[in-house]
Amino acid sequence: MQYSCYSIPFLFVIGIVLSPTTALAHQHSHRCTAKFYELTKSKNMSRCLRLPTLGAEMGWSAPSLKNCHHVFEVVFGAPLREEKGWMAWGVNPTLEGRMVGTRAAIGIKDPSGPPHCKTYSVGYETRRACGPLRPRDVEEMKCLRFEYDNRTEYYYLTATLNLSSTDYNVSKLHIVWQSGFDADGDVPKKHVSDLKHIDSFETIDLVSGQCSDMAFIKIYLRQVHGIMNIIGWGTMLPVGVIIARFFREFPFERTDRWYYFHVSCQSIGFSVGAISWGIGIWLAHSSPHHIFFTHHVLGIIIFVFATLQTLAIRFKPGKTDDFRKVWNIYHHFLGYALLPLIFINIFEGIRILKPDNKKTWKLAVIGILTALGVITFILEAYTWKKFIDDKKKEEQKKEEQKKEEQKKKDAMRICESTNKDQRGGSINKHQHGSEINHDGSEGQHPVSSQHPHANTPSTQPTQRGNNTTNI
């Protein structure tokens, strides 16, 4: 029976892991919003692409090869809801395709003047905040305009690109986009370092319009990572702990069924959590420059603790083993220490992920935690009530046993007292009778061996009578 309970969670996990294909197919079938698509068509763009982060979209014209250079035009749009801010789009010739080395067109929104757009070259000093990012002419691009569109409610910039065919591959072009909330004149300030801004990178094919979908995959896998953590670490492991804590005797009285349910829940929880942990490690490896230290360290500690707990099932000592007490202390302490770490890290992950339905995620986790807490409280109260009732019954039983023993003792004491009284009365009667006979009273005296003629008085009257008759 315990083996059948593995199937449903694992089928659910497989469904979650394999479903990105459907999700990504949906992304391919509907790239741009209708309003932005109309905007790109009005500017004679042949391709349109909805980017995975920051609500950004882009369109471009078909690249043409002139003098070993790929020449084309780009329209990039995104919402800028703050009164002051900036947005950027650029290309990167490096293999990594990150911020450093990017040639970018940056449009700046400033309430003190009209929106304007300039080109920049992002170096290592910018990333390390060693100096401000200042405008610079670059040969790869030229920013034409930066303005607001009422139909899409986007700010969008238009730029022309002239990319060397030796440095850039238009079938695998690394693009970077970004936005920020503040700027000092022509100098954009540092943007927020959250996942939405970190994932603002993609590799596209300008000819076919296809992209690697790596950013979409990472975003989706983060959601899978979070859901599996909630199911594996946050639900199944605590349920296994509750079973071991409260169901040893009820309803499985004097059987090992609770143990099989406990092991099943722990094994399922560990398996789902281990898969989620592996996804998290891959996500951290895919963004080596952006590691969330607290979440990363807590995840490793939880995985190590959970592995030790799972291995403890295999190396559990026998009931008569001297090491069993030490093992019980270690197993219980490690299990209880694991639970708060799990929920702390789950909430930390939600804070990092910042999903669009963040409130729903938090409410779901709080609901699970509340349900587990209420169940634990009820079972704990029932356990203590049962413990107190058993103690009272045991005390009553002891009192009854004491009363029964006391009754027996009293009965024995009465019997002994009666026997003593009876023996004392017979002795006194015997002594009183011997004194009367000694005084010459009519009381009978027992025959004594010291008076050989004790029967003589009874015969003398006969003799006297005989003598008298004879005379």
Side-chain angles (χ1 to χ4, degrees), residues 144-375:
L144 301 178
R145 66 184 66 88
F146 179 60
E147 53 193 344
Y148 179 76
D149 180 65
N150 290 321
R151 291 176 297 175
T152 59
E153 298 181 349
Y154 286 174
Y155 277 88
Y156 72 94
L157 57 85
T158 306
T160 57
L161 284 90
N162 187 10
L163 305 180
S164 171
S165 58
T166 58
D167 297 330
Y168 296 90
N169 183 1
V170 292
S171 62
K172 290 183 179 181
L173 182 66
H174 302 310
I175 63 169
V176 181
W177 64 97
Q178 200 56 260
S179 65
F181 304 121
D182 194 12
D184 184 10
D186 292 334
V187 179
K189 299 292 184 178
K190 186 177 180 180
H191 61 80
V192 179
S193 296
D194 58 13
L195 290 176
K196 293 180 180 180
H197 291 81
I198 292 171
D199 290 335
S200 299
F201 162 79
E202 190 57 89
T203 301
I204 64 174
D205 185 349
L206 294 180
V207 179
S208 65
Q210 301 296 320
C211 63
S212 67
D213 283 322
M214 184 56 64
F216 284 107
I217 291 172
K218 288 167 68 174
I219 292 170
Y220 192 84
L221 285 179
R222 286 194 184 100
Q223 295 179 352
V224 172
H225 171 72
I227 293 171
M228 292 178 71
N229 273 339
I230 294 171
I231 295 172
W233 300 137
T235 304
M236 298 305 297
L237 287 188
V239 169
V241 172
I242 290 173
I243 290 173
R245 173 71 178 87
F246 299 107
F247 292 92
R248 291 175 180 264
E249 297 182 359
F250 176 84
F252 314 113
E253 294 184 1
R254 297 182 180 180
T255 64
D256 290 335
R257 291 182 183 178
W258 71 268
Y259 178 75
Y260 296 121
F261 279 93
H262 169 67
V263 171
S264 298
C265 287
Q266 299 296 86
S267 300
I268 293 171
F270 177 77
S271 300
V272 175
I275 295 172
S276 173
W277 183 78
I279 293 173
I281 293 297
W282 181 85
L283 290 170
H285 180 73
S286 65
S287 302
H289 302 295
H290 303 280
I291 300 296
F292 298 93
F293 183 77
T294 302
H295 186 66
H296 189 69
V297 172
L298 285 176
I300 293 174
I301 293 173
I302 290 169
F303 178 75
V304 172
F305 280 15
T307 303
L308 292 175
Q309 287 293 83
T310 306
L311 291 176
I313 299 173
R314 176 65 180 82
F315 299 104
K316 182 179 180 180
K319 293 182 179 180
T320 59
D321 198 325
D322 295 336
F323 190 68
R324 181 62 177 263
K325 291 183 179 179
V326 178
W327 182 90
N328 285 334
I329 294 172
Y330 138 76
H331 190 64
H332 293 166
F333 175 78
L334 200 61
Y336 290 131
L338 188 60
L339 296 180
L341 293 179
I342 287 172
F343 284 98
I344 290 172
N345 209 32
I346 287 174
F347 282 108
E348 178 68 13
I350 294 174
R351 186 191 66 81
I352 294 170
L353 186 60
K354 292 182 180 178
D356 295 333
N357 52 350
K358 180 179 178 180
K359 188 176 181 180
T360 305
W361 281 65
K362 279 191 173 182
L363 289 176
V365 177
I366 292 172
I368 292 172
L369 188 58
T370 303
L372 293 172
V374 170
I375 292 170

Side-chain angles (χ1 to χ4, degrees), residues 60-90:
W60 66 95
S61 60
S64 59
L65 186 61
K66 295 180 181 179
N67 298 325
C68 296
H69 284 74
H70 300 286
V71 181
F72 58 98
E73 193 169 310
V74 170
V75 175
F76 172 77
L80 278 179
R81 298 182 175 88
E82 303 294 332
E83 292 185 0
K84 191 175 184 181
W86 56 271
M87 56 183 291
W89 183 93

